[in-house]
Structure formats: structure tokens, C-alpha cells
Amino acid sequence: MSGGAMYDDSSYEDASDALLSLATRAAGLAGGPVTIEDDASELITYSPGQENSDDARIATILSRRVPDRYRTLLRTEHLDERLAGSSGPFYADLRGAGILPRAIMPIRAGDTAIGSIWAIVPSSPSPEQRAALEESAALLAPLLARQAERRLAADARRTAAVRALLRGGDEAVETARELPLGPGPLAVVAVRPLPSAPAPGTGSYEGPYDGRYDVAYGIPYDGPYYGPCAGQGGPPGDPLRRALADLDRRLSAFQPGGLSAEIDRVGYAVVPVGDEQRLLRAVGELPGAAAGVGRTVPGPGRLGRSRADAELVVRLLSRLGTTRERTAHIRDVQLDALLMRTVDLAVEAGHDPLGALAELEAYDRRRGTALLDSVDRYLAAGEDARLAARQLHVHPNTLRYRLRRAQEITGLDLSDPGAAFDIRLRLRMRALRLP
């Protein structure tokens, strides 16, 4: 099967024209410019013309989704809740936030919210405008539902292809022949939300969520934009979905021809690589997510190695949280990644990687002291007690007392270079322990 047949998007063309026509018609009936969004605030299409517009509409069109700053406002104003619970249009006066008023109409397929119409209007909609919005939503619903079904089918095929590529070997080589994917060099990027990212389901999604879904991106579309659709059971507002969509947009601009998908709650992108530094810059810092870049491999048959690298990096960055950069290449974090694997093995075997320092950590916890942190700062300062004391905001004699107590408790000699190296290594492993 050729790549063109596998990812033929021509089936969207009729829907694209119909949706654009309906958006234009809805704008005329409502008396103001219209945007049509899916249930994850991704832009589907919009009516032509920017008259009577505002920054929120323009930013949504340019980014092809509602920017995060406006999504936050929607939650603050409880508009997401109103959308989830409404079957008819309602009015939102947001002029206090610098946004023109909107008439908002949910689009539903049965009991499930699948999108919404946002029309800029000067005042609460008249009965005629309400009827026009309800009619528009009824006409849009089957088109959005069919488009979502076709998109889900295409996404499922892409997800299966990405799974095969990530396994590497002959299967990846054969799969690559059927894709619009360069023969190499290639690399894998893995993405995972950081623990501080918003919880899944912060949008208006009301369908089931069982923690399993695969969403694929990676094929640019021409014409009015159709936001990506969630796969099996996935809430459209999920931070991983949004991070992966953001990554895909960046990578498409960096190097066309890649593929990305969400698999087992991790986002993956297989990317042609010409320049690794450019790739890292393209990935950049994804809001609320960590991104790991695996080694560049000569062809699809060795993508399994790049995937293992990317997964290791993203696990490391997720564990470190905000204590370091959120995007890294495997070569830049190899030592920490090796230490993390050592820590995991030690924990699995029932050992504490801190060794004798575990006793000092327990002492601090019981007494409310800071002996272990004082040892850490002293060694990090090159064993300069005055410098370390200034950094700790204590007198040098106080620090020296803490160091003596630490040596008494652990039996470790800080003046021994071998012992000092062992302590520093274990202190680094301390940051990489499982929570």
C-alpha cells in the first residue's frame, strides 16, 4: 500500500467546503463573525472577514486553537461548564476582559458535546438569532461527527504505523516504505506531561475516560483547519494531547515528513533529522510537558534504539520536574540517565542508594536539622566552608559543627577524596530516587 493511499485526506475536502459554507451562513444569520471549534477548543473553521473582530478571534485563527490565556478565562467565567450543560445558545459578555461579547451555541451528537459555534454579537441574541444558531448547529453536527469518524480511522492507521516504526527492525523498514517518511537519518522524540500539568478532562468533555487512547498527528492539512480528534476514550482537553499537538506543529515547520502519535500515555514523534541542534530548538520548551530526544539513527530499522533513548530521557526529566530544563537530548543527560537506572535497580532490590547517607537523612527528618543539605552544599562549594556557609546563611563555625555531626553519624570522612566522591555521587542519586 502506498503512503498516499494510507494517508489520503481527500475525503475531507467535501466536509471542508461544507463546513466553511455553513460557517459563512451562520455568520450572516447571526450578524457577526463566527468561529467553529471542537470540544477541545481546537479551531475547525471560521467565517471569512475580520470586521468587528477582536484579538481573541484573531489569535484563535492564527494558532488554530483557542490560546491558553483565553481557555483559562473560559474556565474562570464557567463558560466550559455552561457549554457542557447547555443544549441551546447563551450569551457571554466578556468586555471586562477585553473580549467582545459572544453568542455561544453547543454542537451535540446525541448527548455528547462535539463542538461549539462562537458568534461575535453586540448584545444578547434575538429570538431570530437564537433560531439561526440552533439551525446551524443542527446542520453542523452530522458533518462534524462524520469528519471525526474519518479522522479517527486515519489516526488509528497512523498510530499503528508509528507503533511499528518504534519497534524498529524489519517491520519498521517495511512500514517506512508505505509512509511519506524520509529514509533517514531519523530520531524519536518522546513527550510526557509533568506532574504539575493540569489534570485530564479540564475542558468540556463528557464522554468516558478509561486512561487508554491513541491520538496521531503529523500530516499537515490544507484549507480550513480541522482540529485533531481524540482517540479511544481520551478526553480532548488532556495535557498530553495538547502538548503533542504543539510538538507536531513545531516539527512540521522544522522538517516536514514526520509522524507522531500517542501510545500508552506517552507522545512519540518520528522525525527526519538534518541537524540535531535545530531539532532541539524546534522542540523547545513544551508547556507543562517534558520532551526527550533520542539518538539519531541511519534508518527506520534502528528506531527502537532511538525510542529507548527518548523514553529514558523523558522519564528522567519527569522525575527531576522543574529542577532542570524540560527538553534534552540523550547525549546531554547520559550520566544522569545511567544513575537513574542504577537507582531503580537498587530500589527494586530493596537497597537504599543513599547508603550510609540514608541514616543522616533519617536523622534530619527526626530532628528537623539540615546536616545532609549542609554536606551537599559544602561539597558543591569545592569544600570551601566559608563559601558554603554564606550560601546557607549560617556562620562558618555552625557549618563546621554540622559537618562534624554528619561524620559522627555516618562514619564518613569528608577529607578523604574517595569518600567525598562517593558522597557526591550518592547525593546526585538522591534526586533521582523514585518518589
Side-chain angles (χ1 to χ4, degrees):
M1 183 184 295
S2 69
M6 193 169 190
Y7 301 116
D8 181 7
D9 296 318
S10 61
S11 60
Y12 298 127
E13 291 177 0
D14 292 341
S16 169
D17 292 341
L19 286 167
L20 177 59
S21 176
L22 283 172
T24 303
R25 180 176 182 274
L29 293 172
V34 159
T35 55
I36 298 172
E37 303 164 9
D38 72 6
D39 55 337
S41 296
E42 302 279 350
L43 181 67
I44 294 173
T45 189
Y46 57 95
S47 61
Q50 299 304 321
E51 59 277 4
N52 302 320
S53 190
D54 59 12
D55 288 342
R57 171 181 160 87
I58 293 169
T60 297
I61 292 171
L62 290 177
S63 63
R64 296 181 172 180
R65 64 175 177 176
V66 179
D68 288 341
R69 63 184 182 277
Y70 295 120
R71 283 175 55 85
T72 300
L73 175 65
L74 299 185
R75 289 193 294 271
T76 301
E77 297 292 329
H78 305 290
L79 297 184
D80 52 347
E81 297 175 10
R82 295 183 68 184
L83 264 174
S86 299
S87 58
F90 58 91
Y91 178 69
D93 189 343
L94 303 172
R95 281 173 291 198
I99 300 174
L100 293 175
R102 258 64 166 182
I104 306 169
M105 177 67 207
I107 303 172
R108 292 184 172 277
D111 294 331
T112 303
I114 59 174
S116 54
I117 304 170
W118 297 68
I120 297 179
V121 294
S123 59
S124 182
S126 67
E128 292 78 14
Q129 288 174 315
R130 292 177 61 87
L133 288 169
E134 289 173 349
E135 179 187 350
S136 297
L139 292 170
L140 283 162
L143 285 173
L144 264 63
R146 287 197 297 272
Q147 182 250 341
E149 290 174 0
R150 289 193 295 265
R151 187 64 175 271
L152 283 172
D155 285 349
R157 292 194 296 272
R158 278 197 292 271
T159 299
V162 172
R163 284 183 185 273
L165 290 172
L166 294 176
R167 284 193 285 266
D170 293 341
E171 182 183 11
V173 173
E174 185 63 29
T175 300
R177 293 195 184 105
E178 301 178 348
L179 300 172
L181 180 69
L186 302 166
V188 174
V189 181
V191 178
R192 178 183 287 180
L194 290 170
S196 59
T202 55
S204 59
Y205 177 80
E206 295 204 319
Y209 174 54
D210 61 3
R212 300 177 297 104
Y213 65 99
D214 293 332
V215 182
Y217 308 94
I219 306 298
Y221 289 82
D222 296 324
Y225 177 72
Y226 291 82
C229 302
Q232 303 172 19
D238 185 273
L240 178 55
R241 173 183 168 177
R242 295 181 66 83
L244 188 56
D246 191 6
L247 173 66
D248 184 68
R249 277 186 281 269
R250 299 182 188 197
L251 294 180
S252 294
F254 158 72
Q255 182 78 53
L259 288 173
S260 59
E262 182 187 334
I263 298 172
D264 300 329
R265 298 300 299 139
V266 179
Y268 295 95
V270 179
V271 192
V273 180
D275 183 322
E276 288 184 344
Q277 291 303 315
R278 284 190 61 226
L279 171 59
L280 276 171
R281 289 195 296 271
V283 174
E285 293 285 317
L286 297 171
V293 182
R295 75 186 77 178
T296 300
V297 295
R302 302 176 76 174
L303 278 170
R305 291 187 175 184
S306 188
R307 174 190 181 169
D309 288 344
E311 289 175 341
L312 191 60
V313 175
V314 84
R315 277 205 308 122
L316 172 68
L317 297 181
S318 298
R319 190 170 296 184
L320 292 174
T322 58
T323 62
R324 63 174 304 151
E325 68 275 5
R326 293 182 297 185
T327 298
H329 191 283
I330 181 63
R331 66 165 176 268
D332 299 322
V333 294
Q334 279 178 324
L335 180 57
D336 273 349
L338 179 62
L339 288 175
M340 182 180 68
R341 295 180 72 175
T342 302
V343 168
D344 290 348
L345 289 172
V347 172
E348 288 173 12
H351 301 301
D352 192 323
L354 277 184
L357 295 182
E359 190 176 346
L360 190 58
E361 186 178 53
Y363 180 92
D364 281 336
R365 192 163 47 244
R366 289 194 308 269
R367 303 291 186 90
T369 53
L371 302 184
L372 186 55
D373 285 338
S374 296
V375 170
D376 190 359
R377 189 62 62 93
Y378 170 71
L379 294 175
E383 302 182 29
D384 185 331
R386 291 186 178 276
L387 174 59
R390 284 199 302 271
Q391 293 173 343
L392 290 167
H393 305 292
V394 299
H395 193 277
N397 288 340
T398 300
L399 176 61
R400 293 187 183 99
Y401 168 77
R402 292 179 180 178
L403 297 178
R404 285 196 302 272
R405 285 293 296 137
Q407 291 183 108
E408 291 169 1
I409 294 168
T410 62
L412 296 173
D413 183 1
L414 295 178
S415 65
D416 178 359
F421 175 79
D422 180 80
I423 292 169
R424 295 202 64 179
L425 190 62
R426 291 182 185 276
L427 285 170
R428 185 58 191 158
M429 294 169 75
R430 177 192 186 200
L432 301 172
R433 279 187 302 188
L434 288 167

